[in-house]
Amino acid sequence: MVPTLYLFDRFDGRLGILPAVGAVTHVEEVGGEDTIEFDCALAPEKGERLLWRDPTDGVWREHVVVRTDEPLGAPAHVYAESSLCELLGDFVEEEQLVAKTASEALAAVLAHTRWTVGDVGVGATERGCLLYHVNALAALRRVEEVWGGEAEAVIAVANGRVASRTVNLPARRGEWRGARFSYGKTLAACTRTVLEDEVFTALYGYGKGLPIYDEQGVATGGFTRRLTFGSVNNDVNWVGDDDARLVWGRPDGACGRAHRFGHVVFPDCEDATELKALTEAALAAACEPRVSYEVDVAAVDGGAGVRPGDDVAVVDSSRSPEWHLRARCVRRVRELGEGRPVVRLTLGAVERTTWAASADVAARVTAVEETAATASDTVASYEDLGEREF
């Protein structure tokens, strides 16, 4: 069914109901976009708000109009983003977060907004970072990076209007609901994409830059090389997967197969044991090709209730031996029109926004050029390293 769209002005004043012409398309990604698009006879103003109750999930959602296309003599097309986008207009001048829990860090960010802290499920580990001259949405994403978790907006409604706007930070969105999908048997309306990510069978891991101390043992404020984990790994700063090496390794020139090496950086990690564990977890995801499946929900057994973040059991019988894996619903596109919704899911290990952007060759070339330009700006002394990220 088409949801009822309640229209509010930029200051939360209720304007009435905005009738949609045809279906409303809702796109939601884990760590990515949350948008709606639809046609209507009369275009709303930029910045006006749309409040609607999700006919599938039963939760309230709020979106802000960010663009309208208004052809003469035809319905207007509206594009609206999750109301979390209003955090782009809230500014964090400086927040020095030292030895803070995720709840404390989230509270520090949201103190600059009208949003409040909800449920935080990433534990009470104390970490730190500097938030300096960034908008509140970028600061929120930085909290996700440092403390972990996947932020989600929660809208509460009372008396026909938004009563509260809350940000939850669960360790991981979604759950296991028993949905299953077989690729190779159920082929209708399904596309498998083998992503362009490099396959590595061994990874070096690097942590936070180590501080420089003077002769009296006082920190100078500068930094040298990054933390490694050789001290807890038999003096070896990398971890490898020999089974992956036999399949995905490269010729070693002696009729054998050598590792394909890569590296990962965890700029906030200060413990060698933790760094090794993080690198091993990254290797598990990097030692085989990443695969994404785009499929109509009708082809997924039990897929009607799948939400972004949920796990789905996948059997890929096109491979020999067939693959048995648990993929994650990282994107859901729904056309909410008359009758049952038309739903398409993306199942995989990474968000579509991540791999779609990396497929742009021009962007990748530009990134290499920028890296080379940065490398040419050499550091004159150890003391200068405190201002550098390397």
Side-chain angles (χ1 to χ4, degrees):
M1 59 179 293
V2 181
T4 301
L5 302 175
Y6 299 99
L7 182 64
F8 293 79
D9 64 21
R10 291 188 294 273
F11 308 101
D12 293 336
R14 186 164 180 172
L15 300 176
I17 293 176
L18 182 65
V21 177
V24 174
T25 300
H26 181 216
V27 180
E28 188 177 10
E29 294 180 332
V30 175
E33 66 177 305
D34 179 357
T35 64
I36 58 173
E37 293 187 61
F38 59 94
D39 292 335
C40 61
L42 182 63
E45 295 290 334
K46 182 179 179 66
E48 290 184 341
R49 295 172 176 271
L50 299 166
L51 181 66
W52 57 287
R53 190 160 194 170
D54 195 311
T56 303
D57 303 331
V59 300
W60 285 98
R61 300 181 185 272
E62 184 187 32
H63 286 76
V64 178
V65 176
V66 297
R67 189 183 72 239
T68 58
D69 299 323
E70 306 172 35
L72 288 173
H77 186 77
V78 179
Y79 175 85
E81 296 180 350
S82 164
S83 55
L84 264 181
C85 72
E86 74 173 45
L87 271 61
L88 290 168
D90 293 311
F91 195 72
V92 179
E93 188 172 0
E94 182 175 354
E95 287 286 351
Q96 298 184 21
L97 304 178
V98 180
K100 300 293 186 182
T101 64
S103 295
E104 293 170 333
L106 185 59
V109 170
L110 297 183
H112 301 268
T113 76
R114 61 173 174 172
W115 292 67
T116 58
V117 178
D119 296 330
V120 178
V122 296
T125 302
E126 293 183 346
R127 301 184 186 277
C129 71
L130 173 64
L131 303 175
Y132 185 69
H133 292 185
V134 294
N135 63 67
L137 184 57
L140 173 61
R141 298 310 183 199
R142 180 59 175 155
V143 169
E144 289 179 292
E145 291 175 3
V146 175
W147 281 267
E150 296 172 344
E152 58 182 354
V154 178
I155 304 298
V157 174
N159 299 320
R161 63 181 63 248
V162 175
S164 66
R165 297 173 176 86
T166 304
V167 176
N168 287 350
L169 189 64
R172 185 180 187 272
R173 291 179 60 185
E175 59 186 80
W176 166 247
R177 303 180 193 274
R180 302 176 185 277
F181 168 66
S182 295
Y183 180 86
K185 297 178 181 179
T186 311
L187 290 176
C190 176
T191 300
R192 181 180 66 190
T193 302
V194 179
L195 309 183
E196 66 275 357
D197 302 55
E198 292 287 347
V199 175
F200 297 111
T201 65
L203 287 178
Y204 284 87
Y206 299 103
K208 188 173 183 178
L210 299 178
I212 297 174
Y213 297 93
D214 61 19
E215 295 178 354
Q216 285 72 41
V218 178
T220 65
F223 292 83
T224 59
R225 65 191 183 281
R226 288 189 178 276
L227 173 71
T228 58
F229 55 77
S231 60
V232 296
N233 192 48
N234 298 320
D235 294 326
V236 177
N237 293 325
W238 57 270
V239 291
D241 186 317
D242 278 333
D243 291 336
R245 176 180 59 82
L246 296 176
V247 178
W248 297 102
R250 54 182 176 78
D252 63 1
C255 299
R257 299 186 183 183
H259 276 300
R260 291 176 56 87
F261 282 93
H263 78 282
V264 286
V265 178
F266 302 96
D268 300 300
C269 182
E270 303 180 54
D271 180 78
T273 301
E274 180 186 9
L275 177 61
K276 180 183 176 183
L278 290 171
T279 306
E280 289 173 336
L283 176 63
C287 65
E288 62 183 17
R290 296 194 181 194
V291 181
S292 173
Y293 302 85
E294 292 193 24
V295 56
D296 284 348
V297 73
V300 180
D301 182 18
V306 172
R307 303 177 185 180
D310 287 351
D311 290 320
V312 176
V314 174
V315 178
D316 192 335
S317 58
S318 68
R319 299 290 184 174
S320 181
E322 64 182 16
W323 288 353
H324 291 258
L325 56 108
R326 182 169 289 193
R328 194 178 185 204
C329 176
V330 295
R331 189 173 194 253
R332 179 177 66 171
V333 180
R334 295 178 297 161
E335 291 187 12
L336 305 173
E338 298 299 333
R340 299 182 62 181
V342 177
V343 184
R344 192 164 180 83
L345 307 175
T346 299
L347 310 177
V350 293
E351 295 80 9
R352 181 182 177 91
T353 47
T354 300
W355 61 261
S358 64
D360 186 338
V361 175
R364 296 167 79 178
V365 170
T366 300
V368 172
E369 292 174 344
E370 290 176 348
T371 301
T374 303
S376 66
D377 182 14
T378 56
V379 178
S381 68
Y382 278 129
E383 285 69 27
D384 293 334
L385 297 179
E387 302 298 322
R388 309 274 180 179
E389 186 73 23
F390 70 104

